[in-house]
Amino acid sequence: MTTAFYLEVFGTRGFGEALINSFLIAGTSALVTTILAFIMAYSVHYTNIHPYMKKVIGAVAVLPMLLPTITYGFAIIYSFGKEGLLTRLFGHQLFPIYGFGGLLLGYVIYTLPVCYVLISNAMAYIDKKFMTVSRLMGDGPWATFRITVLHPLLGTLGASFVQSFFLSFTDFGIPAAVGGEYEVIASVLYNQMLGSVPNFNNGAVVAMVMLIPSVVSIAVLRYLDKYNVRYNRISPVDLKKNPVRDGAFGIASLLISLSVVSIFAVIFVISFVEDWPYQVSFTLENVRNVFRDTELSNVYLNSIYVAFYTALLGTLLVYGSALVTARSSLNPKIKQVIESVALITNTIPGMVLGLAFLFCFSGTSLQSTFLIIVICNVIHFYSTPYLMMKESLAKMNASWETTAMLMGDSWIKTIFRIVTPNAISTIITVFSYYFINAMVTISAVIFLAGARTMVITTKIKQLQYYNKYNEIFVLSMLLLVTNLAAKLLFQYLSSRKEKAADSVSQTVGSEPERVPAAMRKARKTAGAIVAAVMVLSAFSLGSGGRNSDLVVIYSNADDEAITAIRETLDENGYQGKYILQTFGTSELGGKLLAEGTNLEADLITMSTFYIESAQDANQMFADLDFDVNTLDEVPSYCAPITAQEGALVYNSRVIEQSGLLIPDSIADLADPVYEDMISVTDVSSSSTAWLLLQALIAEYGEDEAQQILSRIYENAGPHVEDSGSGPLKKVRAGEVAVGFGLRHQAVADKKDGLPVGYVDPLEGNFSLTESAAVVDKGTKRQQIAMDMAECIIREGREKLQKTYPNALYEGETTDGANASAYPKTFPEKLTVELLERHQELLEASK
């Protein structure tokens, strides 16, 4: 046991600031969200505004829960960014979206549904007759409001604040998109675990720090529970007419609703235009492309599959647990254990849970299966549906079991014949909650999904690396429509069952009404169907998904390289014999180091220095059984496929509008005239930044390079990106004028007619090679993977050189028409150790 890792993390520059930032932004957003949710709930329950308006307010309040948080960030950029939809409508940018402001907006949208549901449900159980009593006793409007509304809601308002705070504190999807310079603890955890050089020991320390609010929140929630007011009955009361109250709260709620809807409207706009913001004509091609792509359609089906079984298994677990605690005579200590588990699962960050599953089940039969994702989701979302189910069961007639026992029925029979029919409405609601949350979750499953088990949210995370925002918004729209349809269906079924259940028992102490024979028969049939479905699905849930006999290829390659690899394999007899799954460089690097030979993939293409590092750590790659005649010496277990070069990229429209000059060198970016107009990557999370570092160090030496870097990062401000494609994304969207990114991506954008250009910097176009390697598993697929690797090298290099022109093998020549002006190589061998040394240099320059 050692404290060295704790000391290292706590001593890291910026860790304390990130922790303070997290508490500040999470606390602010929790306060704002609780106030906004209270206004909306009060409008629904305590005003006389039109019933249809109340329905609209309630529907909009829960709308954000139908989308993953990572989509919120993209929606904010494309709504409020410099070229955003709302920015164009208003004629100017309303506020800076990167940093505190963007995070606050994203977190408020994210946590609004939870806060609204909590407060609205509590308001529904407040007896409004006490408002009349208060007025009759001569209390003023404020006193009546405080005594009859605020006081009964103190516990709920406190719980709403805690829930909103914790959700904001642990989310990383929103900071990944609009965090800018405002670093938070969730981003630190992600970078430690899946950064350019993963550090699992330090990541575990950060995860432990993130659990501290969990422990505190459990104590706070227990304390707040004593403030919850429970009424014996709810009296129907007509609200007093008050046009001022109704108008003020109605207008405020509608403005909040309009703000939420306007942000998500961009999802539907971008999905149906050619290329926002440059080609805004209507098209259905983006939607067609998604449905034509079998990989994307399979991902959508995977999401439905995972969501259904998460809902099924989760509902069964929740119902069983709630029955034990609410309607059984089991030992109180056992009930207390269940209660504690519910509170604990509610406060464990999804990222921490996902990492725990990754490390615990790596190398087991559960790894990369649907089953591990389902189990993780069931645990992750257990708390809220359990509390919903428990409250519902606790409110039912407590004498039913006693009466049924006197009539000769056992407890189990009573549960099936009496309690379950009366709880069916809540059971459907729980099923709905699990289904929708499983569709939108990303924080936990991003560590667990494999090539065969990829779901929509993890696919969206990967598509951002390739700047495929048309596909991202179409998938987001599809996700929203699916969840909306599911929610409406479940609400309809729930309302029907609730009305049917109302006739079973009307008064406390009455004999429970028997379920009609037809209903009992239908229930048995439904139970048999559910059992059959569960048995039949058990095999597919644990199988690791579709086509388990196919070779799995993991790759961090860009879209152009992926296309070339697919075409090469398909043209040479391998069509339908493999599954190719793309990852960001840092994510795939983290999986290589964490999983070793337990990796799902049989063949990988990855940055060469990562492959060498993974081999040193895990001895996971087999020596190639074919000759590799490269210009430079390479290890026996990998063969290079591409060389990625860095370059300056720029947006010609923004350059012209801002009156800036197109830079000739990387050092030009240090000029103050480029303040807030450039974007670069962070070497702690992206290896693309290493190309910039190599150029500066080789040209100016480490000391001067550090000074230049310091000024560059000052100019970049909130536009320091975690992804190698991030700067080009900012340039393409018109958020900045200039960036440093991958040369071939800018070449492709210019060829496609976008206002994107590129400059080969005078310091040189340094490069990183990416190689193919075969995982040494000893399976029958290993030789097929080896043959595929040879095919890619032998037959695919001609295709690859059209995008990546540098010669890598004997007999090749660099494509002069597409070649960079100043190709250079770094004098030292590129290793993880060298990258770590350069990371320290960069950190010192921030």
Side-chain angles (χ1 to χ4, degrees):
M1 183 175 179
T2 178
T3 60
F5 300 121
Y6 284 87
L7 295 174
E8 182 179 346
V9 170
F10 293 153
T12 302
R13 182 174 176 269
F15 176 77
E17 183 180 354
L19 191 59
I20 293 171
N21 286 346
S22 293
F23 277 103
L24 180 60
I25 185 63
T28 304
S29 63
L31 179 62
V32 172
T33 308
T34 300
I35 292 172
L36 296 181
F38 178 85
I39 291 171
M40 298 179 80
Y42 190 89
S43 300
V44 171
H45 292 279
Y46 284 93
T47 69
N48 290 312
I49 60 176
H50 198 281
Y52 286 113
M53 191 181 296
K54 292 184 177 182
K55 289 183 179 180
V56 169
I57 293 169
V60 172
V62 298
L63 175 65
M65 73 183 297
L66 306 181
L67 283 166
T69 59
I70 194 170
T71 301
Y72 302 168
F74 303 143
I76 291 171
I77 292 173
Y78 278 79
S79 295
F80 294 102
K82 292 180 180 178
E83 293 290 341
L85 177 63
L86 296 179
T87 299
R88 286 193 163 196
L89 290 176
F90 284 100
H92 62 91
Q93 190 171 20
L94 299 179
F95 64 94
I97 62 173
Y98 299 103
F100 189 90
L103 288 175
L104 180 61
L105 178 60
Y107 287 152
V108 168
I109 295 171
Y110 170 39
T111 59
L112 182 64
V114 174
C115 293
Y116 173 80
V117 169
L118 282 171
I119 296 172
S120 181
N121 285 347
M123 283 185 176
Y125 287 99
I126 293 178
D127 194 343
K128 296 180 178 63
K129 74 178 180 182
F130 290 99
M131 297 177 68
T132 304
V133 174
S134 178
R135 288 195 297 268
L136 290 175
M137 294 181 68
D139 292 335
W142 167 247
T144 298
F145 174 76
R146 177 173 54 82
I147 295 169
T148 64
V149 180
L150 278 184
H151 180 69
L153 284 175
L154 279 179
T156 302
L157 292 174
S160 170
F161 180 90
V162 171
Q163 291 276 34
S164 177
F165 174 90
F166 193 79
L167 289 172
S168 301
F169 187 85
T170 58
D171 176 69
F172 87 98
I174 297 169
V178 294
E181 292 178 288
Y182 199 88
E183 191 169 29
V184 292
I185 194 71
S187 300
V188 174
L189 175 62
Y190 186 81
N191 289 337
Q192 288 289 348
M193 288 297 189
L194 293 176
S196 57
V197 181
N199 189 323
F200 299 119
N201 292 321
N202 287 1
V205 172
V206 178
M208 290 297 294
V209 172
M210 291 183 72
L211 287 176
I212 294 174
S214 304
V215 177
V216 176
S217 63
I218 291 173
V220 171
L221 288 172
R222 284 188 177 278
Y223 175 78
L224 291 173
D225 189 60
K226 72 178 185 179
Y227 288 100
N228 289 326
V229 178
R230 293 174 175 81
Y231 299 91
N232 292 327
R233 57 176 299 180
I234 308 299
S235 307
V237 174
D238 291 330
L239 292 170
K240 182 182 178 181
K241 293 183 179 180
N242 189 330
V244 175
R245 174 201 65 196
D246 296 348
F249 277 91
I251 292 172
S253 294
L254 286 180
L255 287 175
I256 297 169
S257 301
L258 182 62
S259 300
V260 173
V261 171
S262 64
I263 293 173
F264 289 113
V266 73
I267 293 174
F268 292 89
V269 174
I270 303 300
S271 298
F272 295 102
V273 300
E274 288 190 23
D275 197 345
W276 183 273
Y278 307 113
Q279 299 172 5
V280 294
S281 54
F282 177 82
T283 182
L284 292 173
E285 196 61 26
N286 297 327
V287 178
R288 292 194 190 103
N289 287 339
V290 168
F291 283 100
R292 286 178 191 145
D293 191 327
T294 55
E295 181 180 335
L296 294 181
S297 59
N298 280 328
V299 164
Y300 174 68
L301 293 176
N302 286 351
S303 292
I304 299 289
Y305 186 83
V306 167
F308 174 79
Y309 284 107
T310 295
L312 182 62
L313 296 178
T315 302
L316 290 174
L317 176 64
V318 161
Y319 187 48
S321 302
L323 282 173
V324 169
T325 55
R327 304 196 70 89
S328 79
S329 56
L330 203 64
N331 190 312
K333 290 184 179 180
I334 297 178
K335 293 184 179 182
Q336 187 61 46
V337 169
I338 296 175
E339 293 281 330
S340 299
V341 168
L343 288 173
I344 290 171
T345 57
N346 188 45
T347 55
I348 296 177
M351 291 178 68
V352 175
L353 190 64
L355 286 168
F357 271 68
L358 172 67
F359 290 125
C360 287
F361 298 104
S362 180
T364 70
S365 58
L366 282 177
Q367 182 181 344
S368 299
T369 63
F370 285 123
L371 184 57
I372 193 172
I373 298 176
V374 168
I375 293 172
C376 185
N377 284 339
V378 168
I379 295 173
H380 188 196
F381 301 113
Y382 172 77
S383 178
T384 299
Y386 164 76
L387 293 174
M388 289 166 51
M389 195 75 251
K390 179 193 168 188
E391 287 294 314
S392 175
L393 292 174
K395 286 184 174 70
M396 292 180 188
N397 194 325
S399 66
W400 284 350
E401 285 88 342
T402 303
T403 306
M405 183 178 64
L406 294 173
M407 297 174 65
D409 285 346
S410 65
W411 182 80
I412 293 293
K413 279 188 177 181
T414 306
I415 294 302
F416 278 100
R417 299 174 63 182
I418 305 299
V419 176
T420 301
N422 283 273
I424 197 68
S425 174
T426 307
I427 290 173
I428 293 173
T429 302
V430 166
F431 189 95
S432 171
Y433 180 91
Y434 261 122
F435 182 91
I436 290 172
N437 278 280
M439 286 289 288
V440 303
T441 186
I442 182 174
S443 58
V445 300
I446 194 170
F447 298 101
L448 305 176
R452 302 182 182 94
T453 56
M454 194 65 57
V455 291
I456 283 184
T457 51
T458 54
K459 191 64 180 178
I460 287 175
K461 180 70 171 66
Q462 290 170 10
L463 287 172
Q464 72 163 324
Y465 288 114
Y466 306 103
N467 290 317
K468 292 190 171 185
Y469 286 92
N470 290 334
E471 287 88 342
I472 285 173
F473 282 112
V474 172
L475 286 176
S476 298
M477 182 180 67
L478 188 60
L479 194 58
L480 177 61
V481 170
T482 301
N483 279 341
L484 188 60
K487 188 170 182 63
L488 292 174
L489 173 63
F490 294 137
Q491 281 183 341
Y492 171 73
L493 294 175
S494 178
S495 62
R496 285 194 61 185
K497 296 300 181 182
E498 189 172 4
K499 290 176 182 177
D502 285 342
S503 63
V504 176
S505 179
Q506 299 294 332
T507 60
V508 175
S510 65
E511 179 180 333
E513 183 175 319
R514 300 288 179 170
V515 181
M519 186 179 291
R520 290 199 302 270
K521 183 177 180 181
R523 191 172 62 229
K524 289 179 180 179
T525 303
I529 292 173
V530 169
V533 168
M534 291 184 67
V535 170
L536 291 173
S537 66
F539 299 101
S540 58
L541 278 173
S543 67
R546 58 191 169 87
N547 303 326
S548 57
D549 59 328
L550 302 184
V551 170
V552 175
I553 306 173
Y554 279 2
S555 178
N556 75 321
D558 299 303
D559 198 37
E560 296 82 4
I562 292 296
T563 300
I565 291 171
R566 285 186 189 278
E567 289 178 354
T568 299
L569 292 175
D570 291 348
E571 291 169 2
N572 287 275
Y574 292 106
Q575 186 171 7
K577 297 181 180 180
Y578 64 91
I579 299 174
L580 199 162
Q581 182 60 56
T582 57
F583 292 88
T585 301
S586 59
E587 291 174 347
L588 183 51
K591 290 180 77 69
L592 291 178
L593 295 177
E595 299 180 12
T597 54
N598 295 322
L599 194 73
E600 178 193 26
D602 304 292
L603 170 65
I604 69 160
T605 74
M606 180 59 169
S607 301
T608 307
F609 75 91
Y610 257 125
I611 292 177
E612 294 180 16
S613 218
Q615 180 73 348
D616 290 342
N618 299 319
Q619 295 298 306
M620 61 183 293
F621 300 115
D623 285 343
L624 301 181
D625 63 3
F626 55 91
D627 294 331
V628 180
N629 300 315
T630 55
L631 296 175
D632 298 318
E633 186 178 353
V634 296
S636 60
Y637 49 82
C638 66
I641 58 171
T642 63
Q644 311 266 356
E645 289 185 307
L648 295 166
V649 298
Y650 63 90
N651 185 308
S652 56
R653 290 187 183 181
V654 180
I655 286 283
E656 182 179 351
Q657 292 168 0
S658 58
L660 293 171
L661 295 175
I662 298 173
D664 296 318
S665 67
I666 297 172
D668 287 344
L669 301 183
D671 191 320
V673 299
Y674 291 102
E675 183 178 1
D676 201 31
M677 294 300 292
I678 64 172
S679 180
V680 294
T681 48
D682 188 341
V683 76
S684 65
S685 55
S686 170
S687 57
T688 303
W690 203 8
L691 299 174
L692 180 147
L693 276 170
Q694 290 176 39
L696 290 178
I697 293 171
E699 184 70 20
Y700 307 108
E702 289 194 1
D703 291 339
E704 188 175 353
Q706 184 173 345
Q707 295 174 17
I708 295 172
L709 271 174
S710 181
R711 295 195 295 271
I712 288 176
Y713 276 93
E714 285 180 13
N715 286 342
H719 303 297
V720 178
E721 298 294 303
D722 291 333
S723 165
S725 61
L728 181 58
K729 173 186 69 178
K730 290 285 183 72
V731 168
R732 181 186 287 175
E735 292 294 304
V736 297
V738 184
F740 183 89
L742 296 174
R743 185 179 186 274
H744 67 276
Q745 291 181 336
V747 171
D749 274 5
K750 185 175 182 178
K751 184 178 178 181
D752 290 340
L754 298 181
V756 173
Y758 58 94
V759 174
D760 294 322
L762 296 176
E763 292 91 350
N765 300 93
F766 283 78
S767 63
L768 291 172
T769 61
E770 294 186 350
S771 297
V774 177
V775 182
D776 190 2
K777 293 184 174 182
T779 64
K780 63 180 181 181
R781 295 194 305 269
Q782 183 173 321
Q783 186 56 51
I784 303 174
M786 188 72 71
D787 296 339
M788 287 183 176
E790 183 176 8
C791 177
I792 293 169
I793 303 302
R794 301 270 189 254
E795 309 297 334
R797 280 291 299 155
E798 183 177 351
K799 286 182 176 19
L800 290 165
Q801 273 198 283
K802 293 178 181 178
T803 304
Y804 313 90
N806 290 6
L808 297 175
Y809 289 84
E810 294 177 3
E812 291 183 346
T813 57
T814 299
D815 182 356
N818 200 21
S820 59
Y822 313 109
K824 290 186 179 181
T825 56
F826 200 69
E828 295 185 54
K829 178 179 173 60
L830 301 183
T831 63
V832 170
E833 290 74 20
L834 180 62
L835 176 57
E836 289 176 328
R837 198 180 86 204
H838 286 174
Q839 281 183 345
E840 293 173 2
L841 175 69
L842 184 142
E843 286 300 317
S845 67
K846 288 184 179 179

